């Protein structure tokens, strides 16, 4: 089924001016412009199919990731798609272990985000050629083929290939029923849309009221900038949602280890399920210390959206540093690296609750978590996938939520494709949206300067 | 003394075609072209002084780091140098915590290498304006001023500002004597020039003979690609240097944790002092397991050249994962972040043995380790700084080795400035050296293609 030689790879810098409305604001990222390094792959297969991939960014720096995508393209262009997917482990290794390029990583930062964008496009193309949504492509693969996509380098002390095979083999039992269940009920989600740090209380209340009306039962609040402020906001939300619904906290790496423990202890009365990203995403031992201290309060530690690779996830699991593991479809090296993390999480019996939101993250990660349920974890206990309600309108196959659950996508591919018009309008800085903003801010500067001169 | 507003920041991609001679080849980097993202900072001070900074790279990907430097420049251009150095902690935080840009790090990968290049240039300029070599600028600072350059975020559970102050205060005792000692005898070095993985035995023998003649007593061998090959090479070198001289091994991240233990155990008969980079640079717990297993054999674990920030170093120390800590002047966020690591190493009583070589790394890191001896560690026990003998000819103030020791630099600045001619000739791809290579390889491709057509 897989066909064609890759004839072109184009990367572009697409930015949405979300900072204008404080959407996505948190304790460390006060003014994000949700953006993507967006990759389009073409082949000579003459089937009209293209592969679309992206990695999520926050505005500035997207051009750096685009530059890294271009640096990787020599490993992609002129390759046969069939050769790639038949030795996907080898191809992954080639991209991540280029003897020169790996120095600026390895497997971290801009070059790894770029790897994600490129491989996401390959997976999209593969799934499209097979005529299946990505989750279904994965579900239909046999254990051996799934394993052949994974680079086990640096994780064999936590998970061997044989152990992974056994997990996947066990996952075959009841698979069909779980697939039907997903198609019928979808995958449970939670919402982060109500309580961004930059939102005033009034907006927070209104959004929360609407979310309750829409059937949401799990809510996440951004915290970490100011304690009295956090207490007020947590109280407000807890009162609105009542004692039985689920509340999660997210500090976006704001604290020192000791500070995290003290701060969260003061928010314990609001019964949060977890504290997310209490400190540096690199601090495995720090997360372990926080986990240990908060366990008696019934608060778990969640992290992952900035875990840069499987080696960090491995250690978080080994060190008992987290209670909820948050994979990200765009920071790890695409489906390939996420597969290894899903399997490690299964072995260590830690529930996976994916990070989503941003731009495109919901579209992508739903495929991974639906596959995880059907073929790996087989459980929904303590599990849910993040959902944020914006920017979906720019995608050709937007994520669909019904009754606070993700509806499994039916269209072929990885849901990565943006609408052509959006990709054109939001292209940075040439697109018309940015031309207008830059023109306005230029005029504003000019006016201010004029003002200064007048004074 | 500090003066001027920064009026310009220019970054360029400079590459040396070292892969042509297998210089620098190791188990993970078979064909490096030693390169640098090179930064030049100008001010309006009219003193004729410029700041030069660089970060080391391996060829491909340098353009990505240059792109990241340009992304950082908005935080640098138009700033007063005095404002920067008077709140260097704040400036460091500004560069590393930009609410949008930090997403592609944070403090890791391309954007952190770029931070190093920019800050190295600032330190060079500062030292030049003070008319001192960088090590002397640091040595002459009082503890409070040194502390004001350090961002303690995420390390206070291992080292508080008060503890750091105490270390620096204690370091004042005997400082003058140690400075005199450095000026008289220099800082002890070891050589990696003899035994790159790509060198044939004959070349290895010849280089080793020459090094012995030049007074070298400590030698590092690259290992990890093939065990019988490693045994042969280690035997050859150990026989040449005799039982009393020091031998170190470097695997450049080649192994799994278990594999590292098994492999190094088989090389134990050659009495290596350390095994360097046995596995993934991100694997703190893996390094700890290897350290524990090899301790009974008297072999220590060394790592650091790809440790991406102080948070990883902190954990390596907390987990007792290393016996030798190898700072790098270009991967961490310049002098600022290295200061925090030197202080943590002192607290945990682990000797610092800097990574050098590449292009410019010897020139830069000698300043840091000389400062460390005079003001922080006060000890030479189990300590030495790497030296590799190539590409020094491209620097205006090249590192000087006498009797296998680094001679403390006397010229003002951070020894970062390249000769103008080198920066011009090796500019990628426009410089004449690369134009010639690209022209030749183009012709070769053309000839090969012609050949194929004829066949």
């Amino acid at each position: 089924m897989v066909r064609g030689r890759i004839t072109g790879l184009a990367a572009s810098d697409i930015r949405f001016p979300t900072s204008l409305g404080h959407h996505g604001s948190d304790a460390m990222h006060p003014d994000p412009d949700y953006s993507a390094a967006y990759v389009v792959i073409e082949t000579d297969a003459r089937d009209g199919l293209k592969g679309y991939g992206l990695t999520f960014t926050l505005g500035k720096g997207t051009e750096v990731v685009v530059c890294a995508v271009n640096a990787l393209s020599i490993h992609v262009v002129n390759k046969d798609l069939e050769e790639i997917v038949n030795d996907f482990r080898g191809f992954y290794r080639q991209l991540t272990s280029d003897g020169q390029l790996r120095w600026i990583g390895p497997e971290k930062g801009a070059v790894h985000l770029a790897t994600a964008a490129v491989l996401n496009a390959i997976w999209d193309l593969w799934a499209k050629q097979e005529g299946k949504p990505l989750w279904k492509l994965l579900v239909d693969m046999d254990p051996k083929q799934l394993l052949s996509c994974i680079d086990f380098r640096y994780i064999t002390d936590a998970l061997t290939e044989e152990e992974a095979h056994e997990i996947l083999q066990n996952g075959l039992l009841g698979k069909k029923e779980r697939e039907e269940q997903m198609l019928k009920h979808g995958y449970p989600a939670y919402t982060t849309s109500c309580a961004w740090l930059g939102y005033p209380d009034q907006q927070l209340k209104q959004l929360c009221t609407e979310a309750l009306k829409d059937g949401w039962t799990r809510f996440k609040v951004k915290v970490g900038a100011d304690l009295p402020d956090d207490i007020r906001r947590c109280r407000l939300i807890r009162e609105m949602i009542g004692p039985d619904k689920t509340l999660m906290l997210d500090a976006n790496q704001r604290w020192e280890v000791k500070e995290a423990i003290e701060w969260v202890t003061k928010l314990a009365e609001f019964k949060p399920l977890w504290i997310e990203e209490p400190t540096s995403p690199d601090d495995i031992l720090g997360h372990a210390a926080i986990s240990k201290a908060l366990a008696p309060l019934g608060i778990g530690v969640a992290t992952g959206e900035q875990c840069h690779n499987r080696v960090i996830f491995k250690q978080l699991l080994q060190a008992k540093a987290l209670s909820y593991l948050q994979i990200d479809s765009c920071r790890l090296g695409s489906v390939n690296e996420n597969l290894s993390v899903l399997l490690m999480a299964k072995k260590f019996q830690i529930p996976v609750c994916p990070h989503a939101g941003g731009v495109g993250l919901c579209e992508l990660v739903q495929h991974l978590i639906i596959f995880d349920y059907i073929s790996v974890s087989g459980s929904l206990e303590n599990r849910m996938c993040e959902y944020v309600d914006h920017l979906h309108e720019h995608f050709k196959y937007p994520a669909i939520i019904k009754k606070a659950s993700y509806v499994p996508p039916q269209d072929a591919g990885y849901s990565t494709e943006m609408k052509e018009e959006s990709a054109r309008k939001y292209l940075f800085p040439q697109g018309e949206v940015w031309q207008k903003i830059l023109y306005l801010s230029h005029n504003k500067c000019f006016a201010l300067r004029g003002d200064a001169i007048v004074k």
Side-chain angles (χ1 to χ4, degrees), chain A residues 238-246 270-271:
Chain A
R238 180 48 92 192
E239 279 171 6
M240 290 195 70
I241 67 177
D244 297 330
K245 294 200 174 59
T246 308
F270 306 110
K271 303 283 175 208

Side-chain angles (χ1 to χ4, degrees), chain A residues 151-264:
Chain A
D151 188 354
F152 282 86
R153 175 175 266 179
Y154 300 142
I155 58 169
T156 57
D157 53 327
L159 181 79
T160 63
E161 196 167 340
E162 294 68 39
E163 288 171 316
H165 186 264
E166 202 187 319
I167 290 171
L168 289 168
Q169 203 62 39
N170 292 341
L172 297 176
L173 197 74
K175 204 171 98 168
K176 199 161 163 281
E177 292 72 24
R178 288 194 296 275
E179 186 175 333
E180 281 163 14
Q181 186 193 343
M182 279 294 107
L183 290 169
K184 204 166 163 191
H185 302 291
Y187 196 94
Y190 72 86
T191 176
T192 310
S193 293
C194 302
W196 294 104
L197 209 56
Y199 285 179
D201 288 1
Q202 193 48 43
Q203 188 174 3
L204 199 144
K205 267 189 199 167
Q206 188 197 326
L207 289 168
C208 203
T209 309
E210 284 167 21
L212 284 164
K213 214 182 299 171
D214 292 342
W216 290 97
T217 59
R218 307 175 184 95
F219 300 79
K220 195 160 81 183
V221 183
K222 297 285 178 176
V223 297
D226 179 75
L227 183 59
D229 202 46
D230 289 350
I231 292 174
R232 196 190 71 251
R233 291 154 49 84
C234 284
R235 176 163 296 133
L236 194 150
I237 297 223
R238 180 48 92 192
E239 279 171 6
M240 290 195 70
I241 67 177
D244 297 330
K245 294 200 174 59
T246 308
L247 180 69
M248 287 91 72
L249 308 179
D250 185 357
N252 292 86
Q253 314 166 19
R254 183 61 184 243
W255 301 313
E256 298 298 291
V257 174
K258 204 177 139 212
E259 191 182 13
I261 296 166
E262 290 166 0
W263 197 302
V264 178

Side-chain angles (χ1 to χ4, degrees), chain A residues 284 287 303 307 312-322:
Chain A
I284 295 140
H287 279 85
T303 192
C307 269
I312 300 294
F313 274 119
K314 175 187 79 167
Q315 294 173 86
L316 287 166
L317 291 166
Q318 289 173 322
K320 301 187 200 302
L322 42 69

Side-chain angles (χ1 to χ4, degrees), chain A residues 383-448:
Chain A
R383 288 155 203 270
M384 50 190 154
C385 185
E386 185 167 19
Y387 181 74
V388 183
D389 190 17
H390 57 221
L391 304 179
H392 302 289
E393 65 274 20
H394 300 295
F395 286 84
K396 207 161 161 186
Y397 313 105
I400 298 168
I401 293 285
K402 270 192 195 152
K403 295 187 186 163
S405 292
Y406 278 92
V407 176
Q410 290 305 310
D411 296 293
Y414 198 1
S415 310
T416 33
E417 187 174 349
M418 285 192 194
K419 287 181 187 160
E420 249 179 66
E421 197 195 350
S422 295
R424 199 175 55 241
K425 271 190 178 171
Y426 292 89
L427 185 69
F428 185 87
Q430 303 94 327
E432 65 181 81
V433 170
W434 285 104
Q435 283 301 311
K436 205 181 268 180
I437 291 171
L438 295 169
Y439 176 79
L440 285 172
S441 72
H442 174 82
N443 279 0
K444 206 167 144 194
C445 282
F446 193 78
L448 285 170

Side-chain angles (χ1 to χ4, degrees), chain A residues 107-165:
Chain A
E107 295 185 83
K108 61 177 67 74
V111 73
H112 208 47
L113 291 166
T115 301
V118 169
L119 290 176
N120 284 340
I122 303 270
W123 280 99
D124 180 55
L125 182 57
W126 185 8
K128 278 182 178 155
Q129 288 197 355
E130 301 280 1
K132 295 177 181 177
L134 181 96
W135 67 266
K136 180 65 173 158
L137 174 72
L138 294 172
V139 162
D140 288 349
M141 280 188 191
D142 67 27
K144 282 226 162 135
Q145 198 178 5
L146 284 167
L147 292 180
S148 78
C149 300
I150 300 173
D151 188 354
F152 282 86
R153 175 175 266 179
Y154 300 142
I155 58 169
T156 57
D157 53 327
L159 181 79
T160 63
E161 196 167 340
E162 294 68 39
E163 288 171 316
H165 186 264

Side-chain angles (χ1 to χ4, degrees), chain A residues 7-59:
Chain A
T7 50
L9 184 162
S12 48
D13 179 342
I14 294 174
R15 306 189 189 186
F16 300 92
T18 45
S19 65
L20 300 177
H22 298 293
H23 309 305
S25 55
D26 65 51
M28 295 294 269
H29 313 94
D31 58 351
D33 285 328
Y34 281 180
S35 308
Y38 185 57
V39 170
V40 184
I41 284 178
E42 299 193 46
T43 75
D44 61 6
R46 301 191 189 188
D47 53 10
L49 298 177
K50 294 181 189 179
Y52 298 84
L54 62 85
T55 193
F56 170 56
T57 48
L58 294 188

